[in-house]
Amino acid sequence: MKGLSSTKISALICTLGSILCLIFGFSLAGYWEIILLLPAIPLYWYFTRKVSTGLTISILLLVYVLLAAIGLLKDLSPYPMVIGCVLALAGWESAQFLLNFHDTSMDLTNPRLEYLHNKDLVIAIGFGLLLALLGLNIRLHLPFGLVAGLVLLAAFGLYRGLRVRKIG
Amino acid sequence: MTNNKSLFVMLLVMALFVAALIFREANLLLLAMPFLTYTMMGILRSPGEVKLRAWRSHNKSTGATLEPIEMSVRVENIGHSQVYLCLQDSPLPSMQIVDGQLSRHIYLASGEQAAMKYTFQVGRGIYAWKAIRVVATDPFSLFEQNLDWPAPAEIMVRPRSIRLRNLPLKPQMTRHILGSMPARLAGSGTSFFGIREYQAGDPLRRINWRMTARYPRKLFTKEFEQDEIVDIGLILDSRKLEGDDAGEDSIFEHAVCATTSLAEFFLREGNRVGLLIFGEKMTAVFPSSGKKHLFQIYRYLAQASAKKSIPLEYLNYFSYRLFPRGSIIFMISPFGYRDLPTYSRLAAEGHQVILISPNPIDYAAQKMPVNQINSLAYRASRLERYVQLSQLLSMGIRVVDWPIDRALNDVIREILAPLHIGDQRRVQR
């Protein structure tokens, strides 16, 4: 996987950053047991080394999102949880991108692929983080029915968007 | 088209939505926000209409078995939008990649080109590619379009061959065209043929002075044997032999190698060569000569495969039409006792038959564990084979019993070397 050093570094940094954010968020509220997560990660990698790498990293993302959700439900500070979740997503996507080049060498004649991927990832994740942080600072008191309706609308919009794209 | 990755992300988003509704926790919705923007980016950047031009090139259209062949697949984006592509080429059976990969991820802006290159080795055969699998996707590989883009190519990998030299053949009948086979006629060859009395016009350098000295009043001239071309028939027995494995070291592959080597040798010497691949599916190449003809023989031999067994008697319907009377017929076959009548008939038709038989007994013995029972079975099988081959010899058929671990050229030369009286029963033990 020559030529993919920036993606490898970003995958590592994002994954570590995600763990640290979650540990920080839980530690602030006195849940020191979460520090056990640090040695648990290498152990997890060790025991799942023979399983498909794509599945392993997806399970890890699921664990991070679950921890962030638990943190939010326990009324912990939302900032480390959201940031941790965003970094986990970025780390997961970078690792998935690296998997495409597993056992192959990145063609140096087409280095834009990595650059454009990273650029698109930063835009998508950055925009998502911005919206989430904005959402944390804007408090709207909406009735449950309206929220449920908006959620359904968002899901339908996502579905329609996919359909239109597929037909196009 | 969604894939597992996009499904996973969407399920995660939905789970967060549902959890937010169940627990009435708005912050959980915010947690889903980065996943949503990530998915939206994938949707926005997913490929619309993909327009490509693809073509293949290879460094050789004809290669030898296990010779490295370089394949290059080039793709050009002739559409107006940029595309993320994954090129995937299908592997051939028994293909070994020496260098490069069969898949490659690339990004192409409008009008750009990129190539996927790999080097591979493969056994004999004719290999054709019709298309290249192109997976057009977004930067995050969330939504994919699988396309098979036409990129045809064909490669023939000819069978292995050994360079044969100076096979000692004495044809009974030749075509009266100058060639390289001794024609049993006095002429302008190089081998000594006899001495006759001098006739006006004979070149002086051909006078035999020793004979002339014995008879002072006469002159004698040396005669040389005329070299002419012959008709050669090659019959490859492609019936499946029990216990013969597939692969480069099988009895059948050795038989194909021997047939190719013989075809190369005789065509190089200017003879006419015909080929019959005898088996479930008969393939015939009528006798001819030249490089183009050799190429045609390569094509048929490259595709030959051992199929189910049928009686050799069916050969009677083919040999008569395919090979002119007096041809030298090389039968390349492991040989079985049921085949005897067919050999007898071939010889009766006026052909000079030579059996080149890759020895299946020795081949099978190499694979068996060494113990007393196997040793006895081996000895019995060898004796049985010896008796059967001796019956062929008594019919006037020359037999080259070829242990496949020995060089074919040496074995043929050893067995077909000029015979002396009483030397007919030479069978390798």
Side-chain angles (χ1 to χ4, degrees):
Chain A
M1 284 193 283
K2 288 175 191 171
L4 290 166
S5 51
S6 63
T7 309
K8 273 190 261 185
I9 291 167
S10 64
L12 194 69
I13 289 175
C14 289
T15 312
L16 279 174
S18 170
I19 300 169
L20 292 176
C21 280
L22 291 174
I23 288 174
F24 177 69
F26 276 91
S27 308
L28 279 180
Y31 293 101
W32 295 103
E33 302 85 7
I34 194 73
I35 292 176
L36 288 175
L37 197 66
L38 275 176
I41 299 297
L43 279 176
Y44 171 78
W45 282 115
Y46 178 76
F47 285 115
T48 58
R49 67 190 187 283
K50 285 180 184 169
V51 187
S52 148
T53 319
L55 183 70
T56 311
I57 55 177
S58 295
I59 291 172
L60 207 59
L61 173 69
L62 208 63
V63 170
Y64 291 154
V65 174
L66 202 67
L67 281 173
I70 291 169
L72 290 176
L73 288 173
K74 284 192 172 288
D75 281 334
L76 305 185
S77 170
Y79 293 99
M81 298 299 139
V82 170
I83 294 170
C85 196
V86 166
L87 288 175
L89 175 61
W92 175 75
E93 171 51 38
S94 299
Q96 291 275 3
F97 182 71
L98 287 173
L99 274 183
N100 289 337
F101 302 97
H102 189 59
D103 291 339
T104 64
S105 58
M106 180 79 170
D107 192 341
L108 297 173
T109 59
N110 200 7
R112 279 178 308 160
L113 183 64
E114 187 188 10
Y115 169 73
L116 290 168
H117 169 265
N118 290 348
K119 192 182 86 175
D120 285 338
L121 183 63
V122 168
I123 292 170
I125 302 277
F127 192 59
L129 182 65
L130 193 71
L131 285 180
L133 292 178
L134 275 175
L136 287 174
N137 291 305
I138 300 169
R139 288 283 159 194
L140 292 174
H141 294 283
L142 299 172
F144 177 77
L146 185 62
V147 173
L150 285 173
V151 164
L152 285 174
L153 190 68
F156 180 71
L158 199 65
Y159 170 73
R160 289 297 297 172
L162 280 176
R163 290 275 299 177
V164 166
R165 205 66 198 171
K166 197 171 160 185
I167 291 162
Chain B
M1 190 190 295
T2 54
N3 57 18
N4 289 343
K5 197 176 167 187
S6 54
L7 204 66
F8 174 71
V9 174
M10 279 189 267
L11 282 174
L12 206 60
V13 170
M14 289 320 250
L16 285 170
F17 279 3
V18 172
L21 289 175
I22 291 171
F23 295 107
R24 294 194 173 197
E25 176 58 61
N27 286 344
L28 285 179
L29 286 179
L30 297 177
L31 213 55
M33 206 55 79
F35 290 94
L36 271 177
T37 53
Y38 169 77
T39 312
M40 289 311 288
M41 181 61 115
I43 293 172
L44 289 173
R45 301 297 294 273
S46 63
E49 194 182 4
V50 180
K51 281 186 181 171
L52 300 172
R53 199 162 68 88
W55 66 100
R56 285 172 194 273
S57 57
H58 35 80
N59 62 342
K60 49 189 84 174
S61 55
T62 308
T65 301
L66 300 182
E67 187 182 8
I69 298 170
E70 285 173 26
M71 175 68 81
S72 169
V73 187
R74 293 196 80 84
V75 174
E76 184 183 4
N77 180 11
I78 53 172
H80 297 295
S81 56
Q82 56 187 14
V83 282
Y84 291 85
L85 301 175
C86 178
L87 306 180
Q88 295 170 350
D89 217 352
S90 47
L92 302 171
S94 77
M95 183 190 210
Q96 288 180 332
I97 301 291
V98 180
D99 189 27
Q101 292 289 328
L102 287 175
S103 70
R104 205 195 135 188
H105 290 259
I106 50 171
Y107 164 80
L108 286 181
S110 178
E112 280 187 340
Q113 282 185 16
M116 177 175 75
K117 290 178 183 173
Y118 58 90
T119 308
F120 65 95
Q121 290 176 325
V122 72
R124 68 182 171 81
I126 294 177
Y127 302 98
W129 291 262
K130 285 181 180 169
I132 173 91
R133 167 59 62 94
V134 178
V135 182
T137 180
D138 59 280
F140 307 136
S141 304
L142 289 173
F143 308 102
E144 293 174 344
Q145 270 185 50
N146 289 325
L147 309 160
D148 284 322
W149 219 267
E154 187 183 277
I155 287 176
M156 184 188 79
V157 179
R158 62 175 185 268
R160 266 186 309 131
S161 64
I162 306 156
R163 193 173 172 85
L164 302 176
R165 287 167 199 276
N166 307 325
L167 298 187
L169 286 176
K170 287 278 182 189
Q172 289 164 354
M173 206 182 282
T174 54
R175 296 173 67 80
H176 299 301
I177 300 167
L178 282 179
S180 62
M181 292 287 167
R184 300 174 189 228
L185 295 168
S188 58
T190 52
S191 306
F192 180 74
F193 187 69
I195 296 173
R196 63 167 168 77
E197 204 167 330
Y198 178 81
Q199 290 171 357
D202 284 348
L204 287 177
R205 62 193 167 87
R206 286 200 176 177
I207 290 177
N208 187 316
W209 294 108
R210 187 172 287 184
M211 194 75 172
T212 305
R214 282 194 206 164
Y215 303 93
R217 294 187 185 282
K218 285 181 181 174
L219 286 172
F220 290 90
T221 307
K222 283 183 280 188
E223 281 186 320
F224 293 91
E225 195 171 15
Q226 178 81 22
D227 288 334
E228 294 180 343
I229 65 164
V230 287
D231 282 320
I232 302 283
L234 300 174
I235 302 176
L236 171 66
D237 185 352
S238 70
R239 293 172 300 165
K240 179 87 179 161
L241 184 71
E242 206 172 316
D244 187 21
D245 303 328
E248 284 300 313
D249 201 36
S250 64
I251 287 272
F252 183 68
E253 284 304 318
H254 280 86
V256 172
C257 171
T259 313
T260 315
S261 309
L262 287 166
E264 281 177 354
F265 172 75
F266 288 116
L267 286 171
R268 198 168 58 230
E269 301 280 321
N271 300 294
R272 294 201 331 155
V273 176
L275 169 73
L276 174 68
I277 300 174
F278 178 84
E280 193 187 23
K281 188 184 167 192
M282 308 275 184
T283 313
V285 182
F286 282 86
S288 186
S289 55
K291 281 186 176 175
K292 208 172 171 181
H293 185 65
L294 178 61
F295 192 77
Q296 198 182 0
I297 288 178
Y298 280 150
R299 278 191 79 86
Y300 283 107
L301 287 175
Q303 295 174 89
S305 59
K307 296 269 173 63
K308 78 173 185 189
S309 191
I310 56 165
L312 192 66
E313 284 154 20
Y314 288 131
L315 188 62
N316 296 336
Y317 302 109
F318 286 88
S319 61
Y320 201 67
R321 289 159 179 263
L322 191 60
F323 305 117
R325 185 179 291 274
S327 303
I328 302 179
I329 290 188
F330 280 87
M331 182 86 187
I332 300 98
S333 165
F335 182 70
Y337 72 95
R338 287 196 188 93
D339 302 341
L340 271 171
T342 309
Y343 285 92
S344 162
R345 173 153 181 168
L346 276 175
E349 277 173 6
H351 298 302
Q352 193 178 340
V353 183
I354 298 172
L355 168 67
I356 294 186
S357 179
N359 192 320
I361 311 288
D362 287 349
Y363 174 76
Q366 285 169 4
K367 294 180 172 181
M368 285 180 161
V370 180
N371 58 37
Q372 200 180 359
I373 295 170
N374 285 344
S375 175
L376 276 172
Y378 173 63
R379 286 179 63 192
S381 306
R382 276 190 66 127
L383 276 173
E384 188 187 10
R385 182 172 164 81
Y386 174 70
V387 170
Q388 287 165 1
L389 294 183
S390 299
Q391 281 178 298
L392 280 181
L393 281 169
S394 65
M395 293 174 193
I397 290 164
R398 310 289 295 277
V399 177
V400 177
D401 188 14
W402 175 31
I404 56 174
D405 53 347
R406 284 194 63 198
L408 178 63
N409 200 61
D410 295 348
V411 179
I412 295 180
R413 283 176 64 83
E414 205 173 277
I415 308 279
L416 298 186
L419 296 173
H420 304 288
I421 294 166
D423 204 13
Q424 278 278 347
R425 295 189 180 277
R426 198 188 316 184
V427 177
Q428 188 140 16
R429 296 193 191 195

